[in-house]
Amino acid sequence: AQKVTQAQTEISVVEKEDVTLDCVYETRDTTYYLFWYKQPPSGELVFLIRRNSFDEQNEISGRYSWNFQKSTSSFNFTITASQVVDSAVYFCALRRKGGSEKLVFGKGTKLTVNP
Amino acid sequence: GAGVSQSPRYKVAKRGQDVALRCDPISGHVSLFWYQQALGQGPEFLTYFQNEAQLDKSGLPSDRFFAERPEGSVSTLKIQRTQQEDSAVYLCASSFSPPGGTGELFFGEGSRLTVL
């Protein structure tokens, strides 16, 4: 079975602080994909990143960075110099390669960035 | 349209009523998914279409839930004899990706169903 755990339910920071959102996953598959999505108040899930299980290189995109560690089954997301517009619910998700293409989501972390 | 369009955005139903939720995916997208998101929870998979074929319906919670995509484009999620536990946001997503691909999923804004 596949499972994604986001232990942080809510995080509140002040603008310009760095913040890390944790994600731990469980899967028996050797090949799989990991995702992060952002859900602003409008409700639409916005794709942020996809990582393949065989590519453990960390990735940086502007103020966003991701740390994938297969040894600890973690795929953490860091926002540097947070901004008010970063306030949203963030979801980590897992998908196996092949078969049904469904995503298994964590319960999400609500991030509030205060001015 | 430019994105995935869902209607209605909000629906209030009395317990026992039937409801139909529509999803208009991005033109040309092969894959279409329905997810159910309860308040404060992550989305949970309901069903998946590849063109008009429903390839996975393992997430549908009961036989009161039915989805179709007859022409491989617009999809409808129907819930019969609604119950209070059906109250949730129903999200539709589409992808250009062929089977086994790694394409990005584009989500609609969802249809919020409230069953009284």
Side-chain angles (χ1 to χ4, degrees):
Chain A
Q2 299 184 314
K3 184 179 178 181
V4 175
T5 301
Q6 294 180 255
Q8 304 149 309
T9 305
E10 293 192 40
I11 299 176
S12 183
V13 299
V14 177
E15 211 171 13
K16 298 185 183 177
E17 281 186 32
D18 299 346
V19 58
T20 295
L21 309 181
D22 297 334
C23 173
V24 174
Y25 63 92
E26 295 175 30
T27 182
R28 293 180 180 175
D29 297 317
T30 54
T31 303
Y32 49 89
Y33 302 99
L34 294 163
F35 300 78
W36 276 95
Y37 281 86
K38 175 182 180 179
Q39 188 174 44
S42 63
E44 183 178 344
L45 281 156
V46 177
F47 168 84
L48 295 177
I49 191 171
R50 179 189 65 245
R51 299 300 288 171
N52 303 326
S53 56
F54 48 84
D55 181 2
E56 288 192 69
Q57 275 194 339
N58 291 328
E59 184 159 337
I60 299 174
S61 176
R63 295 184 298 107
Y64 295 170
S65 62
W66 290 270
N67 183 356
F68 175 31
Q69 292 199 351
K70 215 168 176 178
S71 60
T72 56
S73 298
S74 65
F75 185 43
N76 297 336
F77 172 32
T78 297
I79 302 174
T80 302
S82 59
Q83 300 176 1
V84 173
V85 294
D86 295 328
S87 297
V89 181
Y90 290 86
F91 291 97
C92 181
L94 169 68
R95 204 194 90 196
R96 62 163 32 125
K97 180 177 169 60
S100 174
E101 302 196 359
K102 65 185 179 185
L103 289 169
V104 175
F105 285 87
K107 292 188 176 182
T109 297
K110 182 177 180 181
L111 174 64
T112 302
V113 181
N114 299 299
Chain B
V4 177
S5 177
Q6 293 189 245
S7 62
R9 288 294 314 280
Y10 303 92
K11 175 70 178 176
V12 178
K14 290 183 179 177
R15 190 163 61 94
Q17 281 186 334
D18 297 347
V19 300
L21 308 176
R22 175 189 169 106
C23 173
D24 207 332
I26 294 173
S27 178
H29 276 198
V30 170
S31 300
L32 184 145
F33 299 78
W34 284 98
Y35 285 83
Q36 181 190 57
Q37 185 176 19
L39 187 64
Q41 302 294 314
E44 292 197 359
F45 171 80
L46 293 177
T47 187
Y48 161 58
F49 289 86
Q50 186 190 115
N51 295 308
E52 68 279 2
Q54 189 174 19
L55 298 186
D56 187 343
K57 53 182 181 180
S58 62
L60 296 176
S62 76
D63 58 6
R64 296 186 295 104
F65 286 71
F66 172 77
E68 59 183 5
R69 194 186 184 196
E71 296 178 359
S73 178
V74 171
S75 177
T76 303
L77 176 67
K78 297 179 179 178
I79 308 173
Q80 297 177 322
R81 304 181 305 280
T82 51
Q83 304 293 316
Q84 283 189 324
E85 61 262 28
D86 299 335
S87 296
V89 175
Y90 290 86
L91 295 167
C92 178
S94 70
S95 168
F96 178 72
S97 175
T102 60
E104 172 187 342
L105 276 187
F106 293 85
F107 281 83
E109 291 184 322
S111 292
R112 181 180 296 276
L113 172 65
T114 302
V115 181
L116 303 177

